[in-house]
């Protein structure tokens, strides 16, 4: 408060009065000052770091300043994705005893954390329907004890798909706390390996003194799938018309047919008996 002094009264008959002056009081009321916490963001799994400078002020005069404000939130590193109040209090600065300070809250937005789910590479065999399961994946980015318990794995490959590489796509992750993540899926590779195919030369016979004439169809096969066929095999022997009576190998090679690029072919010898 400050004194208000009176003096210099004017009158039409000043000589008739003895004038006494009594002071009044001037009360300087505090000015209104509003401190507003600014909006901020954080990421799920990280402890919010609000600092002390994310605020705005309205109402400062006479060069007074606010140099810092206490900012607080109920959110923690374990808080779910969403919005939380930021409260401002305890402004510090110069001349602030001259203000009635009002604090306005801001908003802290907890954004989803990044989670990457990667399908692991797998293999299958030509002729077999790929069985990818739901557990062949890896994750990167989980926090707070959250888990991925299963992932949908899919491929365009089938039991009829040729030998080669095919994408494995991951999707629809399931688990705990996953609503707090922005999930990105990375593909894996399914390798279709050749099926095993065995071509066996059948046993044959010839007579001493005659050049062996091998029956080109005298073979058996095991392992063909998907309607693939073997139409011919090269059969050969070291025996000749001069070879002595006895047993000689018949070797099989150079199988021909449909779909054979999808097989790892093994040849088994037969026996030529002279």
């Amino acid at each position: 408060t400050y004194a208000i002094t009176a003096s210099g009264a004017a009158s039409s008959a000043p000589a008739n009065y003895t004038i006494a002056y009594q002071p009044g009081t001037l009360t300087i009321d505090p000015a209104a000052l509003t401190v507003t916490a600014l909006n901020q963001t954080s990421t799920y799994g990280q402890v919010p770091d609000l600092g002390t400078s994310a605020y705005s002020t309205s109402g400062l005069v006479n060069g007074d300043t606010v140099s810092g404000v206490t900012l607080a939130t109920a959110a923690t590193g374990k808080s779910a994705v969403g919005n939380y109040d930021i409260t401002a209090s305890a402004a510090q600065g110069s001349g602030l005893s001259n203000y009635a300070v009002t604090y306005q809250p801001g908003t802290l937005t907890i954004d989803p954390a990044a989670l990457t789910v990667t399908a692991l590479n797998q293999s299958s065999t030509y002729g077999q329907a790929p069985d990818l399961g739901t557990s062949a994946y890896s994750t990167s980015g989980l926090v707070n004890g959250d888990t991925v318990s299963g992932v949908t794995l899919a491929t365009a490959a089938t039991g009829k798909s040729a030998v080669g590489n095919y994408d494995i796509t991951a999707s629809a992750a399931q688990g705990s706390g996953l609503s707090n993540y922005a999930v990105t899926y990375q593909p894996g590779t399914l390798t279709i390996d050749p099926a095993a195919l065995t071509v066996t030369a059948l046993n044959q016979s010839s007579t001493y003194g005659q050049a062996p004439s091998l029956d080109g169809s005298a073979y058996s096969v095991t392992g063909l799938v998907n309607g693939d066929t073997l139409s011919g095999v090269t059969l050969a022997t070291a025996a000749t018309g001069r070879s002595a009576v006895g047993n000689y190998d018949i070797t099989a090679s150079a199988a021909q047919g449909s779909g054979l690029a999808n097989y790892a072919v093994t040849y088994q010898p037969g026996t030529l008996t002279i």
Side-chain angles (χ1 to χ4, degrees), residues 29-185:
D29 294 325
L33 172 62
T34 301
V35 177
T36 302
L38 300 181
N39 296 337
Q40 297 192 53
T41 62
S42 187
T43 301
Y44 175 71
Q46 297 179 1
V47 177
D49 181 10
L50 302 179
T52 60
S53 60
Y55 59 86
S56 65
T57 61
S58 175
L60 287 168
V61 293
N62 294 332
D64 296 334
T65 61
V66 174
S67 57
V69 171
T70 297
L71 300 172
T73 181
T76 69
K78 292 183 178 292
S79 297
V81 165
N83 293 328
Y84 300 83
D85 279 346
I86 300 173
T87 58
S89 64
Q92 295 181 332
S94 63
L96 299 189
S97 60
N98 296 307
Y99 296 88
V101 184
T102 301
Y103 296 96
Q104 295 296 326
T107 298
L108 173 67
T109 299
I110 304 291
D111 293 324
L115 172 62
T116 301
V117 177
T118 302
L120 299 181
N121 296 337
Q122 298 191 54
S123 62
S124 187
T125 301
Y126 174 71
Q128 297 179 3
D131 181 10
L132 302 178
T134 60
S135 61
Y137 59 87
S138 65
T139 62
S140 175
L142 287 168
V143 293
N144 291 335
D146 297 333
T147 60
V148 174
S149 57
V151 171
T152 298
L153 300 172
T155 181
T158 69
K160 292 182 178 292
S161 296
V163 165
N165 293 329
Y166 300 83
D167 278 346
I168 301 173
T169 58
S171 64
Q174 295 181 331
S176 64
L178 299 189
S179 60
N180 296 305
Y181 296 87
V183 185
T184 301
Y185 296 95

Side-chain angles (χ1 to χ4, degrees), residues 148-245:
V148 174
S149 57
V151 171
T152 298
L153 300 172
T155 181
T158 69
K160 292 182 178 292
S161 296
V163 165
N165 293 329
Y166 300 83
D167 278 346
I168 301 173
T169 58
S171 64
Q174 295 181 331
S176 64
L178 299 189
S179 60
N180 296 305
Y181 296 87
V183 185
T184 301
Y185 296 95
Q186 295 296 327
T189 299
L190 173 67
T191 300
I192 303 292
D193 294 323
L197 176 64
T198 301
V199 178
T200 302
L202 299 181
N203 296 336
Q204 298 189 52
S205 63
S206 186
T207 302
Y208 175 72
Q210 296 179 1
S213 177
L214 300 178
D215 181 356
S217 63
Y219 58 86
S220 65
V221 296
T222 58
L224 286 170
V225 293
N226 291 335
D228 297 333
T229 61
L230 194 64
S231 58
V233 171
T234 298
L235 299 173
T237 181
T240 68
R242 295 180 177 276
S243 297
V245 168

